[in-house]
Amino acid sequence: MFTSEKGVVEEWLSEFKTLPETSLRNYATNLKDKSSLVSSLYKVIQEPQSELLEPVCHQLFEFYRSGEEQLLRFTLQFLPELIWCYLAVSASRNVHRSGCIEALLLGVYNLEIVDKQGHSKVLSFTIPSLSKPSVYHEPSSIGSMALTESALSQHGLSKVVYSGPHPQREMLTAQNRFEVLTFLLLCYNAALTYMPSVSLQSLCQICSRICVCGYPRQHVRKYKGISSRIPVSSGFMVQMLTGIYFAFYNGEWDLAQKALDDVIYRAQLELYPEPLLVANAIKASLPHGAMKSSKEGTRCIQVEITPTSSRISRNAVTSMSIRGHRWKRHEQPDNNNDTTDLGILVIPEISVTNVSGERTGNGEKGRTLGEIDAQHIQGVQETATDPRTESKGLPEIRRQKSVRKMMEDGINSPGRVQF
């Protein structure tokens, strides 16, 4: 660490101690623009033997509990680097060198699990229903699934996930370590939109290092330092993926791509289903190839939104609607055209006393709809006028009625024009 960087940190430490309460808001607003201070603080955190590490951690905790939103976010931007330093020191079994970092992490955790009145927080999250539209989907495009989800949502069966209440912790142990660190990453992800690019870079880098340290891929990545394996939990890896996914579209495509590959590599070794599911879903949703000019700043996720339209079920095509449409056309005669032209069939007008059109032979396939109706009516008339032929005409009437029923049910014979 250079002397100039050390001087910047020492000036920052002394400035806040003499700062009046009325100037706290202006001080917090101007603090995020001091890039030289941020880079110097990163170097202090990365050196566990630095004499400035303890006062820096103490002042970062004072920032966090001050209640000023800008100071709280200033401390949060260093959280990934603090977590990495704590895990690296823990893996090397030099726990006494991470005392101040552990105290800072515990302090932030204990402040976040309670509200302003000191009561334990219970975080809730409602799982989105596919029956309700969002920026990612339209229910009408899903089909029958949307109807099922809609029926469930009307009965109030939406699933709500709760987190908490979380217990207070006085020290980090092997049993509660990742419970605390997972919750801290959850708090960091809640403020991702306010994090600067240097913090997103640090997040991607520490995710890669945590996942590959102690494994053969460490030599491929050329990571120096510790060579011990760092244990991780499934929930902790899912929270890492949340930040990586955000970094993809906010100027850190290359680092995020490398971190995603390393997380998948470690999840496959650990056989963790949740990180594998999330990581593969992220990988499948990414565009092909790296995004050009990814360093130009914040980017957004492009989603195609279908225009709002009427439901398909409102104008659904059913056998009843087809049947009604067919007989509506049958009831509207067209006297201008009485011939078929290029497959277009004109239904002739049917009269009880006079049937238009000529009757064709039984073996012909071009029998029209009007001719069958005329045959049916004619058969009824012949049966009524000649009682002696009642027994002979009865099978013919039944045959004609069956043909009529087949047409009403939508069964078309070969050669018949469909409507």
Side-chain angles (χ1 to χ4, degrees):
M1 187 175 182
F2 297 105
T3 306
S4 58
E5 295 172 341
K6 184 177 179 180
V8 171
V9 175
E10 291 176 346
E11 181 182 356
W12 169 71
L13 291 172
S14 60
E15 182 182 7
F16 182 74
K17 294 179 181 179
T18 60
L19 189 69
E21 191 72 22
T22 56
S23 304
L24 188 62
R25 183 176 296 271
N26 293 332
Y27 172 79
T29 304
N30 299 327
L31 193 62
K32 62 180 181 180
D33 298 329
K34 298 181 179 180
S35 57
S36 59
L37 172 63
V38 173
S39 60
S40 299
L41 290 176
Y42 269 108
K43 292 185 177 181
V44 171
I45 296 173
Q46 292 168 0
E47 295 180 5
Q49 299 88 359
S50 176
E51 58 183 9
L52 294 176
L53 180 59
E54 185 174 351
V56 164
C57 290
H58 177 74
Q59 183 140 316
L60 289 176
F61 179 69
E62 292 293 331
F63 278 10
Y64 203 86
R65 72 173 184 175
S66 64
E68 185 62 38
E69 196 70 22
Q70 296 288 345
L71 294 179
L72 185 146
R73 294 169 186 167
F74 184 82
T75 300
L76 274 181
Q77 69 177 323
F78 300 102
L79 194 59
E81 196 69 34
L82 289 168
I83 291 176
W84 160 251
C85 291
Y86 169 76
L87 291 176
V89 172
S90 300
S92 62
R93 312 248 180 214
N94 293 325
V95 183
H96 63 279
R97 294 167 51 186
S98 62
C100 54
I101 296 179
E102 179 180 347
L104 174 58
L105 295 177
L106 281 172
V108 173
Y109 168 81
N110 289 327
L111 286 176
E112 282 293 336
I113 62 174
V114 296
D115 54 18
K116 295 181 179 179
Q117 288 74 29
H119 303 295
S120 298
K121 289 182 182 179
V122 178
L123 305 178
S124 62
F125 176 75
T126 303
I127 297 179
S129 174
L130 293 177
S131 63
K132 298 179 181 179
S134 68
V135 296
Y136 299 103
H137 82 290
E138 285 288 338
S140 59
S141 63
I142 301 178
S144 60
M145 185 185 299
L147 299 177
T148 304
E149 289 288 338
S150 177
L152 292 175
S153 64
Q154 291 176 1
H155 290 81
L157 298 179
S158 56
K159 187 176 180 180
V160 181
V161 180
Y162 296 97
S163 176
H166 297 276
Q168 294 276 344
R169 300 295 183 185
E170 297 182 356
M171 63 179 300
L172 291 178
T173 62
Q175 294 180 344
N176 63 23
R177 177 178 300 154
F178 281 99
E179 178 187 348
V180 174
L181 297 182
T182 301
F183 184 80
L184 290 177
L185 266 188
L186 176 66
C187 299
Y188 176 83
N189 291 333
L192 271 175
T193 54
Y194 304 102
M195 296 297 105
S197 59
V198 62
S199 182
L200 296 179
Q201 293 171 11
S202 174
L203 173 68
C204 295
Q205 291 170 356
I206 69 107
C207 289
S208 292
R209 291 183 178 181
I210 290 175
C211 291
V212 304
C213 278
Y215 292 92
R217 183 170 283 200
Q218 181 177 5
H219 304 288
V220 178
R221 298 300 189 196
K222 298 180 180 180
Y223 290 148
K224 299 180 180 180
I226 66 169
S227 58
S228 304
R229 295 183 181 181
I230 299 177
V232 291
S233 66
S234 176
F236 184 77
M237 296 183 72
V238 171
Q239 293 301 326
M240 288 195 302
L241 287 169
T242 303
I244 292 171
Y245 187 47
F246 183 83
F248 266 110
Y249 297 93
N250 289 271
E252 304 301 333
W253 178 276
D254 297 332
L255 288 176
Q257 181 68 58
K258 185 184 297 184
L260 179 63
D261 293 339
D262 292 338
V263 171
I264 295 176
Y265 171 78
R266 181 65 181 272
Q268 290 174 344
L269 294 175
E270 300 286 352
L271 297 179
Y272 286 153
E274 292 86 358
L276 281 174
L277 178 64
V278 177
N280 287 320
I282 293 174
K283 191 172 183 179
S285 66
L286 295 176
H288 298 288
M291 298 177 65
K292 296 181 179 180
S293 64
S294 59
K295 296 292 184 179
E296 293 180 357
T298 303
R299 304 183 68 90
C300 60
I301 302 176
Q302 298 180 358
V303 180
E304 294 183 1
I305 302 178
T306 56
T308 304
S309 59
S310 59
R311 297 289 183 184
I312 300 177
S313 58
R314 190 175 300 174
N315 297 322
V317 180
T318 61
S319 59
M320 185 65 68
S321 64
I322 295 175
R323 188 182 308 169
H325 180 67
R326 176 187 301 160
W327 296 116
K328 282 181 182 179
R329 293 187 57 183
H330 176 70
E331 293 172 0
Q332 297 176 359
D334 188 359
N335 298 327
N336 297 329
N337 299 321
D338 56 353
T339 60
T340 56
D341 184 14
L342 297 177
I344 302 176
L345 178 62
V346 180
I347 302 174
E349 184 178 358
I350 300 175
S351 176
V352 176
T353 57
N354 184 18
V355 180
S356 62
E358 297 180 357
R359 182 172 181 177
T360 59
N362 293 332
E364 297 183 8
K365 296 183 179 179
R367 183 172 298 174
T368 62
L369 187 62
E371 292 171 350
I372 295 175
D373 293 335
Q375 293 173 15
H376 174 69
I377 297 172
Q378 184 178 359
V380 175
Q381 290 176 348
E382 291 175 358
T383 305
T385 56
D386 192 0
R388 292 175 297 180
T389 61
E390 182 177 359
S391 58
K392 297 180 180 180
L394 185 59
E396 181 67 14
I397 294 174
R398 289 180 178 176
R399 184 185 67 81
Q400 293 167 355
K401 284 185 177 180
S402 63
V403 173
R404 178 71 175 270
K405 187 175 185 302
M406 289 171 62
M407 293 198 60
E408 289 179 352
D409 293 338
I411 302 176
N412 301 316
S413 61
R416 185 168 299 154
V417 180
Q418 300 180 5
F419 295 94

